[in-house]
Structures are given as C-alpha cells and as structure tokens.
C-alpha cells in the first residue's frame, strides 16, 4: 500500500514541524523575557539614578510617594538574593514583577534602597520623569531654562524642548488635559515613542520626548529564532534524508549488479519508507527484464529449431531437382520448395508479431469499434475454410447493444481468429463463439467439441513454442505462438486470456475478457 509509507513520512515531518514550532515559540518567549527585563532596568535607570543622588527625594519630590509609593529603607532590611544585592552594590537597577506591576530597586549613595512599584512601567516612568522636569523648571529663572533643559535631557536621557506656536500645534484634547492637570501623556501607537507635555507655572509649555517602549518583535530576535529553527530543521532533515540516501544506495547497488548480469538481484523492500515504492517498482522492472531475457533466450533456441525443418526441406528439394528426369517431377519439387518458403515466411511473421507484442508491445491506437462485427467477420472467414463444420456466433442478451468498445480492431481480430482457428483444427464438428458484452466488460468465449486440454496444461498452452503433442504435424499443430500472441494482445488491452473446459460441448473453452472502455493510453500492470 503506497499510502502507508507516505503517511508515515508525513507524520514524521509533522512531528518535526511541531517540535520546531514549540521550540521556536519557547526560545522566542524566553529571549523576550530576558530582553524585556533588561529593557525595564535600562529604561528606569536614568530616573532611579537621579533619585539615588537626590538629597531626601521624598521631601524634594513629594508626589513620588503619593503617586508611585516611593519608599526608602535600610539595605539590611532587604530580602534580595546574593546576586541581586551584588548588582545593587554596583549601582544597577533591579526590576522584578510584583503582581500586576513592576518593582524597581536601586541603592542610594548613602547605602539605602529606593523601592518603588509601578503599575504601568512605561507610562509611569514617562510621567515621573516629566514631573521631575516640571519641578526643576518651575523653580528656575527664565534665562537659565535652556541650560537646565539641556542638563535634564542629558541626565534623564530624554529630549526636553519648549513648545511654541511655530514648532508644534497641540491637538485640542491634549491641550484640554494639559490645562486641567498641567501634564498630558501622548502615545499615538503602543509601539511608538511617547511624548509628555508640561505646563509651567508661567504658562509656558514644554515637551519631553521619551525613548521607545519595549519591542517584542525585534529583527535581531526574529533572525536568531529563525536561524536556530532552520538549524534544527536542517538537522532533522539530514536524519531523514540520510535514511533515504542509504536506501537509494541499496537500489543503486542492485542496479549495478543487474548491469553485471546478475538478473536475480532484487531490492530489499521490507524497510525503507517512501523508497519502498521505488524498490517495488525497481523489482517489477527487474522481473520484466529477467522475463524478457529469458523469453529472448527461449525464442533463440526455439526459432533455431523451428527454422531447421523448412530450411532442411528446401535444401533437400533443391538437391532433388537435380535428380528429376521429367518436367512434371521438377515442377512438383518446385511447388514443394515454394510451400516451404511460404511456411518459412509465415513462421517469421509469427515470430516478429510475438516479439513485438512481448517486448514492449505495439503502439496501440485504441478507437471505438464494433467487436460484434469483428466476431461475425472471423466466424464467416473460418466457416469458408471448413464448410463441413458448424462454426457459429452466439450473442447473450443485449450484447449487440454494447458491442462498441475501445480496441485496436486489427489485433482483436487476430486474437479471435487465432482461437477460432485452433478450435476449428481440433473440433470434431462444432465450434461456438459466445459473446457477452455489458457496460463494463467485453467477453468472448470460443468453445469446441474436440478432445479438450488437460487441466495440468492450461497454463502451458500460452507459453511460446509450446505444443502439448510433439508428434503433431505442422498442419495441425501450428508454430506454438498463436496463444502466446493472444495473451499479449489481451494484456495490452488491459484484459486477460485463459482456458478451461466447455460444459456445453465438452472440448476446450478459451475466454477473452477486457474492459469495454479505457481512460487514456493503456498501461496495465501484469
């Protein structure tokens, strides 16, 4: 069953695909988890560094405690791990997920720990940074604001710039929030950088441009995951193809052995997955080659034997001509030589026909023809050759209605003619051609009332140059190729020829069965 190895291979590929997808998803998720934690710490570092060096940040920036729950506790009250404490000692920010928020911790210059929990890290850090800018700008003289803005931009790693009518127009909704709160957070897209507008005490508007938020679909991560997935897929593909290559090498070795003359060599098809189908096809081809070689060998032996008799008679006749004393005797010898030449020509024609059918077959040009008419034609021809016998055609049911079939008329005529001719030679008095045609198949049975054929020889009669009675003369026995030709003609029509015993007449019964309609060119499997 060719579907089974295909399903097995498809199942393996599907399993490999699922493994690769699961691994890729896990790798992508893990990389993003590490990247996101690193981004949180780097994003919050400028703000936390500013607070770490500020004297009394809870007093200087009272809104921090009110809005974000800022606390400062001694370092010895920390429950952090040794690695986290070591990172704190290096001045790094520690970010950890706490419930629905993110908890940030950083060591101050005097050894305390700043601890703040933010619900929305990106928005809260943006707004807290903007409030720091607002606090420092509100308490600064107007002429010093450009320098303070520059210092704040550098320290907090943001861009701080005044907003004028010429630089940017603020939409009404943002302007309304700005008037009500003094601060407006604007982010046009969740993947775009945010801007925070501040309204100073003197009415001036300042814009704070923030860094980009975390990008989970970074090209570097996608490329890395793709390369890892491609490597895994390549490894599994290598394992699969290695097995295919090994099986192909076994097929190759068998082909080499056959080329050396070891026609019995065959591919082991007990294992091999999809290559098993190739092995079966290769073995079928090897069987066909071996059969053709054996047929050719048998034909050479048989032909050499069959040609000896007419050639010997011709040679004998030529010698006899030299001894003929009268014209009448000479004419008799010439007539015998002519008959021998005719017999030799017929034998060669039979051999060529059988060889053409056996070794690849003719180029069948199937067309619609009336098989019933072909049968009637054969019966009429054979009846003229033996008027003393009863040769008749019988059509069962409405077979005449379904007589049209896709056939090669010349070869079907030849097949029926060979069977009726054989039956005529061995019948006592009656030959019957029984036809059964329906929508699917055509069947022609040729029966006679002769001695019949022993069941042990039913298959032998279809062998080339086979004769059941070696004592028979050429006149009664033919050349031993007629039934072989019949079987090959039916083979190339996608049908079968077989022999049995006639229940009605008691003699032999030969049957031809083939499909009434063909789709495309006939290429049946033997």
């Amino acid at each position: 069953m060719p579907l089974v190895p295909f399903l097995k291979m498809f199942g393996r590929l599907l399993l490999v695909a699922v493994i690769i997808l699961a691994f890729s998803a896990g790798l992508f998720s893990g990389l993003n988890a590490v990247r996101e934690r690193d981004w949180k710490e780097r994003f919050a570092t400028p703000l936390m560094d500013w607070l770490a060096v500020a004297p009394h940040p809870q007093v200087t920036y009272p809104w921090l405690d009110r809005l974000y729950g800022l606390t400062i506790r001694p370092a010895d009250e920390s429950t952090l791990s040794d690695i986290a404490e070591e990172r704190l000692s290096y001045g790094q920010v520690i970010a950890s997920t706490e419930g629905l928020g993110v908890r940030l911790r950083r060591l101050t210059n005097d050894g305390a720990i700043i601890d703040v929990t933010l619900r929305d890290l990106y928005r809260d850090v943006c707004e807290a940074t903007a409030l720091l800018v607002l606090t420092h700008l509100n308490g600064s003289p107007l002429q010093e604001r450009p320098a303070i803005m520059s210092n704040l931009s550098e320290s907090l790693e943001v861009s701080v710039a005044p907003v004028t009518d010429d630089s940017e127009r603020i939409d009404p909704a943002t302007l309304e929030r700005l008037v009500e709160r003094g601060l407006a957070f604007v982010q046009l897209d969740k993947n775009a950088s945010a801007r925070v507008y501040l309204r100073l005490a003197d009415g001036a508007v300042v814009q704070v441009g923030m860094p980009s938020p975390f990008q989970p679909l970074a090209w570097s991560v996608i490329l890395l995951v793709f390369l890892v997935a491609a490597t895994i897929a390549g490894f599994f593909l290598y394992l699969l193809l290695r097995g295919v290559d090994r099986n192909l090498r076994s097929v190759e070795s068998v082909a080499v052995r056959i080329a050396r003359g070891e026609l019995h060599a065959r591919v082991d098809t007990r294992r091999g997955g999809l290559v098993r189908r190739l092995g079966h096809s290769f073995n079928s081809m090897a069987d066909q080659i071996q059969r053709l070689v054996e047929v050719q060998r048998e034909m050479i032996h048989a032909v050499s034997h069959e040609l000896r008799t007419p050639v010997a008679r011709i040679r004998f006749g030529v010698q006899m001509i030299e001894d003929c004393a009268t014209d009448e005797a000479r004419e008799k010898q010439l007539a015998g030589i002519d008959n021998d030449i005719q017999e030799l020509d017929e034998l060669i024609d039979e051999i060529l026909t059988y060889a053409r059918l056996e070794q690849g077959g003719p180029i069948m040009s199937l067309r619609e023809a009336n098989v019933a008419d072909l049968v009637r034609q054969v019966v009429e021809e054979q009846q003229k050759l033996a008027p003393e016998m009863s040769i008749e055609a019988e059509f069962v049911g409405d077979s005449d209605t379904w007589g049209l079939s896709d056939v090669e008329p010349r070869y079907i005529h030849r097949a029926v003619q060979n069977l009726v001719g054989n039956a005529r030679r061995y019948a006592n008095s009656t030959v019957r051609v029984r036809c059964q045609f329906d929508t699917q198949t055509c069947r022609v049975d040729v029966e006679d009332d002769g001695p019949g054929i022993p069941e042990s020889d039913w298959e032998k009669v279809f062998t080339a140059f086979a004769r059941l009675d070696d004592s028979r003369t050429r006149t009664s026995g033919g050349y031993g190729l007629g039934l072989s030709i019949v079987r090959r003609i039916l083979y190339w029509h996608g049908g079968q020829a077989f022999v049995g015993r006639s229940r009605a007449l008691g003699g032999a019964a030969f049957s031809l069965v083939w499909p009434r309609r063909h789709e495309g060119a006939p290429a049946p499997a033997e």
Side-chain angles (χ1 to χ4, degrees):
M1 296 180 62
L3 188 60
V4 174
F6 174 78
L7 290 177
K8 287 184 178 179
M9 181 64 72
F10 179 77
R12 292 174 184 172
L13 292 177
L14 183 62
L15 178 61
V16 169
V18 170
I19 292 174
I20 292 175
L21 287 176
F23 182 82
S24 300
L27 179 62
F28 183 79
S29 177
L31 288 175
N32 269 346
V34 175
R35 289 180 59 246
E36 185 174 13
R37 187 184 63 182
D38 181 66
W39 173 83
K40 290 175 180 178
E41 293 176 350
R42 287 187 293 104
F43 180 63
T45 293
L47 174 63
M48 298 297 286
D49 286 348
W50 183 281
L51 298 177
V53 299
H56 308 293
Q58 290 175 307
V59 177
T60 307
Y61 313 111
W63 43 266
L64 281 173
D65 187 25
R66 184 179 70 254
L67 296 177
Y68 309 114
L70 175 68
T71 59
I72 300 178
R73 61 172 56 91
D76 54 8
E77 297 181 6
S78 173
T79 59
L80 295 173
S81 64
D82 294 339
I83 297 177
E85 289 184 355
E86 185 175 0
R87 291 184 59 196
L88 284 177
S89 65
Y90 292 146
Q92 296 181 4
V93 175
I94 303 298
S96 58
T97 302
E98 298 285 344
L100 298 178
V102 178
R103 187 176 182 182
L104 302 174
R105 279 166 285 197
R106 206 273 195 202
L107 200 64
T108 63
N109 289 346
D110 54 4
I113 295 179
I114 296 179
D115 193 334
V116 61
T117 301
L118 305 179
R119 190 173 185 84
D120 185 342
L121 178 70
Y122 184 71
R123 184 184 183 111
D124 290 344
V125 169
C126 289
E127 292 186 350
T129 302
L131 290 174
L132 282 177
V133 173
L134 178 63
T135 301
H136 286 274
L137 290 180
N138 272 337
S140 63
L142 183 60
Q143 64 275 15
E144 296 180 5
R145 282 184 183 175
I148 296 175
M149 288 183 182
S150 176
N151 182 47
L152 290 172
S153 298
E154 183 178 353
S155 301
L156 297 174
E157 298 181 9
V158 295
S159 63
V160 183
V163 176
T164 63
D165 292 340
D166 297 333
S167 63
E168 183 175 351
R169 296 183 61 86
I170 304 176
D171 63 273
T174 303
L175 185 59
E176 183 178 355
R177 294 200 308 272
L178 187 60
V179 171
E180 290 179 356
R181 296 184 53 205
L183 179 147
F185 177 86
V186 177
Q187 187 179 20
L188 301 178
D189 184 81
K190 66 177 183 179
N191 295 321
S193 302
R195 292 171 296 173
V196 182
Y197 293 95
L198 301 173
R199 185 179 180 87
L200 303 184
D202 57 3
V205 178
V206 175
Q207 174 185 279
V208 180
M210 303 302 299
S212 300
F214 175 70
Q215 302 291 339
L217 298 178
W219 282 108
S220 57
V221 177
I222 295 175
L223 180 60
L224 177 60
V225 172
F226 173 78
L227 291 176
V228 173
T231 302
I232 298 175
F235 174 73
F236 279 105
L237 188 61
Y238 165 75
L239 294 180
L240 293 175
L241 293 181
R242 186 178 63 173
V244 174
D245 179 70
R246 183 170 57 252
N247 293 317
L248 289 178
R249 287 180 182 273
S250 67
V251 175
E252 181 185 12
S253 65
V254 173
V256 173
R257 291 174 59 192
I258 292 177
R260 290 201 302 258
E262 301 178 31
L263 299 181
H264 64 279
R266 294 294 182 270
V267 178
D268 185 4
T269 59
R270 289 174 297 180
R271 58 186 180 85
L274 289 178
V275 184
R276 186 182 296 114
R277 296 175 58 185
L278 175 62
H280 283 298
S281 299
F282 188 92
N283 288 344
S284 298
M285 179 194 69
D287 291 339
Q288 179 75 352
I289 292 174
Q290 186 175 15
R291 188 182 65 82
L292 291 176
V293 170
E294 292 174 354
V295 167
Q296 186 181 39
R297 186 182 299 115
E298 293 173 359
M299 281 187 61
I300 292 173
H301 290 298
V303 167
S304 63
H305 173 74
E306 296 290 337
L307 291 177
R308 281 195 186 101
T309 301
V311 170
R313 290 204 302 264
I314 291 172
R315 182 180 292 113
F316 178 75
V318 171
Q319 293 174 353
M320 290 294 295
I321 289 176
E322 298 176 355
D323 300 330
C324 290
T326 64
D327 291 340
E328 182 179 355
R330 188 178 296 108
E331 289 294 333
K332 182 178 179 180
Q333 293 298 326
L334 289 175
I337 292 173
D338 184 68
N339 289 335
D340 289 333
I341 293 175
Q342 178 66 25
E343 179 184 324
L344 188 61
D345 184 64
E346 291 175 357
L347 173 59
I348 293 173
D349 179 67
E350 288 285 287
I351 292 172
L352 291 177
T353 300
Y354 175 72
R356 186 166 61 253
L357 287 165
E358 184 67 36
Q359 300 184 12
I363 300 176
M364 290 284 184
S365 178
L366 299 184
R367 60 185 177 87
E368 190 176 68
N370 195 315
V371 181
D373 291 344
L374 294 176
V375 171
R376 291 189 181 97
Q377 181 183 352
V378 171
V379 169
E380 183 179 348
E381 293 170 352
Q382 294 295 320
Q383 185 68 73
K384 291 179 180 178
L385 295 176
E388 74 282 358
M389 300 187 68
S390 173
I391 303 177
E392 59 184 18
E394 176 185 343
F395 297 91
V396 179
D398 57 348
S399 293
D400 270 329
T401 306
W402 303 105
L404 293 176
S405 175
D406 294 335
V407 295
E408 218 298 344
R410 180 166 59 96
Y411 282 103
I412 290 295
H413 181 278
R414 176 71 175 271
V416 177
Q417 176 182 278
N418 285 2
L419 294 184
V420 177
N422 281 350
R424 176 178 58 79
R425 281 195 291 269
Y426 298 112
N428 295 322
S429 62
T430 304
V431 175
R432 181 182 301 161
V433 183
R434 193 167 183 268
C435 300
Q436 288 181 276
F437 306 144
D438 55 34
T439 58
Q440 300 295 327
T441 60
C442 291
R443 177 173 179 141
V444 177
D445 297 313
V446 180
E447 306 174 349
D448 63 69
D449 60 351
I453 300 174
E455 186 174 351
S456 60
D457 295 326
W458 282 359
E459 189 62 29
K460 181 181 177 182
V461 296
F462 291 103
T463 304
F465 300 104
R467 295 189 184 88
L468 303 185
D469 184 0
D470 293 334
S471 66
R472 290 188 317 203
T473 63
R474 183 71 62 207
T475 302
S476 64
Y479 305 107
L481 288 174
L483 294 179
S484 299
I485 291 174
V486 169
R487 171 161 282 188
R488 297 311 292 174
I489 289 174
L490 266 293
Y491 168 72
W492 290 110
H493 277 79
Q496 291 182 335
F498 47 91
V499 63
R501 182 173 298 278
S502 173
R503 295 182 179 179
L505 301 180
F510 286 87
S511 301
L512 307 179
V513 181
W514 70 91
R516 183 169 168 270
R517 294 296 184 188
H518 293 265
E519 294 184 3
E526 190 172 21

